[in-house]
Amino acid sequence: MSTPSTGSPSSPAPSASPASRPAVRLSWRELGWISLCFAVLTLVFAYPVSVHPATLRLDTGIDGDLGWYLLSWDTHAFLHRPWAIFDANIYHPSRFTLAYGENIIGLALLAAPVIWLTGSAPMGSTFVSLSACFISGLGAYVLARRLRASVIAAIVALLLARLLGFERWLPASMIAVPAVIVAGSKAR
């Protein structure tokens, strides 16, 4: 009894679909160059705040003072009473008042060394904001490359992610960044 053959020996093998191709592996060299270039670009776009972080501040809107208070409290609690971080000195004598709203403990971990070294919550906030710009732009680039987009399409995704801004133009960046990634992966 013979088994049916799937094709004659002279017929070409079916081509692999784009979805079955392996994801692009980023080299450390590529990631290093993109990181360096985007870090410089972030500092250029944040001018003059990036040049004078101690005397100027990023526009934080009406919640800026609250953010600085939260960063200051969190970094103070990290050193003095980390087990009681949610017992903030607001609404005393109530307990766990930091849990009433945003506690930004994750951001405070990033800002803490800057605040401890400079004593400036606004400078720590600026550092966190610039770091968030850098990390989200780099994340858009890595996502685009992992989805098989070309380097140019990934750079455009990085720039759109930051120039359109996830914070202010969320609907536009939700459409533009994936569109660039898809267009860049189809072009290859």
Side-chain angles (χ1 to χ4, degrees), residues 27-119:
S27 69
W28 286 107
R29 185 178 192 177
E30 177 184 358
L31 198 55
W33 276 109
I34 287 296
S35 297
L36 178 66
C37 292
F38 192 56
V40 169
L41 194 62
T42 299
L43 294 176
V44 168
F45 282 152
Y47 178 83
V49 175
S50 58
V51 178
H52 306 287
T55 56
L56 297 176
R57 66 182 195 165
L58 292 170
D59 179 25
T60 54
I62 58 174
D63 289 336
D65 293 338
L66 175 63
W68 296 337
Y69 161 75
L70 293 171
L71 281 177
S72 298
W73 171 258
D74 289 347
T75 55
H76 168 80
F78 290 157
L79 287 179
H80 299 286
R81 293 184 43 182
W83 60 89
I85 194 167
F86 285 98
D87 288 328
N89 60 355
I90 191 170
Y91 302 128
H92 183 75
S94 296
R95 299 211 49 217
F96 310 116
T97 55
L98 194 63
Y100 292 176
E102 298 178 37
N103 57 53
I104 64 172
I105 293 171
L107 295 177
L109 290 171
L110 186 60
V114 174
I115 293 173
W116 292 332
L117 290 173
T118 65

Side-chain angles (χ1 to χ4, degrees), residues 43 74 120 125 147 155 164 181:
L43 294 176
D74 289 347
S120 171
S125 175
L147 292 175
I155 290 171
L164 290 178
I181 292 171

Side-chain angles (χ1 to χ4, degrees), residues 30-31 33-39 41-42 45 133-145 150-166 173 176-178 180-181:
E30 177 184 358
L31 198 55
W33 276 109
I34 287 296
S35 297
L36 178 66
C37 292
F38 192 56
L41 194 62
T42 299
F45 282 152
C133 289
F134 173 77
I135 292 167
S136 64
L138 190 61
Y141 178 87
V142 170
L143 173 65
R145 292 293 286 142
S150 67
V151 172
I152 298 298
I155 290 171
V156 171
L158 172 151
L159 293 174
L160 283 176
R162 290 317 322 144
L163 295 179
L164 290 178
F166 288 123
S173 61
V177 172
V180 168
I181 292 171

